[in-house]
Amino acid sequence: MKRVYLDHSATTPVHPRVALAAMNFMMNEYGNASSVHTQGQRAGQAVEHAREQVAGMIGANPREIIFTSGATEADNLALRGIAEMHRERGDHIITTAVEHHAILHACDALEKDGFRITRLAVDGEGRVDPDDVAEAIEPGTILISVMLANNEVGTLQPVEEIVEIAREHDVWVHTDAVQVAGQLPVDVDALGVDLASFSAHKMYGPKGVGCLYIRRGTRIRAQMFGGHHERWLRAGTENVPGIVGFGEACALADEELAYRRSHLTALRDHLIEGLEARIPDVMLNGHRTERLPGNVNVCIPGVEGEAMLLHLDMKGISASSGSACTSGSLEASHVLLAMGIKHEIAHGSLRLTLGRENTREEIDYLLEILPPIVENLRAMSAWKPGEDTTFSSGGGN
Ligand SMILES: *Cc1c(COP(=O)(O)O)cnc(C)c1O
């Protein structure tokens, strides 16, 4: 059975052009980028070429790109790197309740080390209010970290406005831009951020490679010690095939961006329209327009997200739910809960994230398969149409 892949926010297929470029640096050009001989030089030049491709995609200078093992490492390097370097200046960090766990758990760890963390609330659509950021800033604030787009509900955050506020107070701003890269243009100068994280495998590149953009003049403390790689900021032999693949994926994104944006937006809107027409009481999560072109996230009251996923999987569809299975017990998504959605409703979330290779026929297949699955699951649960249990009345939930 041909699979229909609708989980591009988890990871994407590697584009053939990317795989071929990476394979060449595994099989033929296998030199260590630090070696002085010709083979080493060729690997080193390939890394620098990839740095130019990555920088080119986001309007940065290649010297502002630090390659890492992915966005988790980039997020940790940004937060801890700023916190440890500038501890004398302050001990307060502002972030939001809907960040990726790479940010939230890094903040938890910093809190244990004595830093103070403010986790800003979001509105019903998952957006943080810039006024709340302004209010949270205090003399000890050193860093604000707000993602550019949410990986679960696709909501875009007003990062430009937050940067304007931060600049008045001389506070650094980091953004996790993972989900936006390859779907919408990212320009670090237009955004004005000081640091930004990216991951190759969310944009048709290989897993295990990403980067941190660090604006010229921004000083951070290294987290990995060893050789002089990456301007002393990230020791370890360069992942040359991964970095070359990442560079190629960025060049490809530049070439295809306009097409991807319109293709994904058209599929997304067709999918949302179809779900709303065919599934009673389905609710769209996140902002209707200020959202990623490839993101659809809905709650379907009366069904468990996990049950839906298993049934879809049997029909050849790979999708995701907002909930993460933690040690056998189901935990509702921290993002949906932060948006004020009730626990029992949040459990019925379904995330469908689209990619460049998806077709309208695949979306129509899902729209044909899903409604009867929902109907059957609802028949087994106590759900009744129109039951208004959508939003929690705040607190204590
Ligand atoms: C996937 C993802 C990450 C983690 O990236 P890795 O390269 O897999 O470590 C971080 N932030 C966001 C928003 C993501 O979607």
Side-chain angles (χ1 to χ4, degrees):
M1 179 169 42
K2 189 183 166 289
R3 302 282 311 181
V4 176
Y5 189 74
L6 299 175
D7 198 14
H8 290 81
S9 280
T11 195
T12 56
V14 176
H15 188 279
R17 213 172 93 184
V18 171
L20 285 174
M23 192 163 75
N24 186 40
F25 281 86
M26 290 189 260
M27 299 183 67
N28 306 314
E29 303 284 357
Y30 48 78
N32 183 321
S34 299
S35 297
V36 294
H37 50 66
T38 303
Q39 285 176 296
Q41 288 172 29
R42 282 211 291 258
Q45 282 158 8
V47 168
E48 293 321 306
H49 178 61
R51 205 184 301 281
E52 286 167 16
Q53 290 173 310
V54 174
M57 183 184 71
I58 59 170
N61 187 299
R63 294 162 65 90
E64 298 172 307
I65 302 298
I66 298 297
F67 286 118
T68 64
S69 66
T72 299
E73 185 188 337
D75 285 347
N76 276 268
L77 178 58
L79 266 56
R80 205 161 259 283
I82 288 284
E84 290 180 357
M85 180 61 98
H86 302 285
R87 191 161 202 164
E88 249 107 273
R89 221 183 105 175
D91 63 350
H92 181 232
I93 295 167
I94 299 170
T95 187
T96 81
V98 296
E99 298 298 307
H100 190 273
H101 282 131
I103 294 290
L104 290 179
H105 291 164
C107 283
D108 292 349
L110 283 166
E111 205 165 42
K112 287 206 177 88
D113 292 344
F115 288 91
R116 291 176 303 122
I117 313 287
T118 298
R119 299 165 184 86
L120 295 173
V122 294
D123 65 18
E125 286 159 331
R127 289 205 10 133
V128 59
D129 184 343
D131 290 342
D132 289 349
V133 176
E135 250 174 66
I137 295 176
E138 42 178 281
T141 308
I142 48 175
L143 177 69
I144 300 170
S145 181
V146 177
M147 70 204 318
L148 205 46
N150 186 269
N151 49 300
E152 288 187 34
V153 297
T155 299
L156 304 170
Q157 298 290 5
V159 171
E160 269 182 69
E161 288 168 62
I162 291 167
V163 167
E164 265 178 48
I165 295 163
R167 280 198 172 150
E168 288 169 25
H169 300 269
D170 243 347
V171 174
W172 287 285
V173 179
H174 165 257
T175 191
D176 180 329
V178 169
Q179 293 288 335
V180 177
Q183 284 198 38
L184 294 171
V186 178
D187 182 326
V188 286
D189 283 337
L191 284 170
V193 293
D194 305 293
L195 308 116
S197 304
F198 298 88
S199 178
H201 78 97
K202 305 290 177 74
M203 45 174 293
Y204 312 100
K207 293 169 183 61
V209 60
C211 75
L212 180 64
Y213 157 79
I214 309 175
R215 183 174 296 280
R216 218 180 134 225
T218 309
R219 287 165 60 238
I220 71 165
R221 185 173 184 267
Q223 299 298 314
M224 190 74 84
F225 302 93
H228 62 273
H229 317 86
E230 301 299 298
R231 308 165 67 81
W232 291 101
L233 282 173
R234 203 282 188 177
T237 300
E238 294 87 346
N239 171 6
V240 181
I243 289 169
V244 166
F246 185 20
E248 197 62 25
C250 290
L252 185 71
D254 277 339
E255 290 166 31
E256 288 188 347
L257 203 65
Y259 163 73
R260 281 189 201 167
R261 188 177 186 172
S262 64
H263 175 65
L264 295 178
T265 304
L267 288 184
R268 177 194 73 189
D269 293 344
H270 176 57
L271 175 52
I272 293 174
E273 212 172 285
L275 292 171
E276 290 183 332
R278 292 170 199 221
I279 300 176
D281 291 310
V282 67
M283 305 155 29
L284 181 69
N285 294 318
H287 201 285
R288 195 166 282 269
T289 52
E290 289 295 302
R291 78 186 297 131
L292 287 172
N295 177 289
V296 176
N297 187 310
V298 291
C299 277
I300 304 183
V303 300
E304 282 286 343
E306 304 297 312
M308 248 181 313
L309 291 189
L310 291 177
H311 281 91
L312 286 174
D313 191 36
M314 286 190 286
K315 295 287 188 184
I317 297 170
S318 298
S320 144
S321 81
S323 45
C325 206
T326 320
S327 63
S329 74
L330 280 179
E331 232 174 61
S333 146
H334 69 285
V335 175
L336 296 178
L337 295 181
M339 286 161 57
I341 295 170
K342 275 195 157 190
H343 251 106
E344 57 268 36
I345 301 290
H347 276 304
S349 67
L350 180 66
R351 183 184 73 172
L352 303 162
T353 46
L354 315 170
R356 60 189 290 289
E357 78 287 357
N358 284 137
T359 63
R360 200 177 159 100
E361 287 68 39
E362 291 178 321
I363 301 305
D364 287 336
Y365 175 63
L366 174 101
L367 287 171
E368 176 195 318
I369 294 298
L370 185 60
I373 292 175
V374 170
E375 215 171 296
N376 287 335
L377 290 172
R378 277 177 168 173
M380 290 187 286
S381 78
W383 182 79
K384 291 182 197 65
E387 266 183 358
D388 187 19
T389 49
T390 309
F391 291 96
S392 65
S393 44
N397 199 24

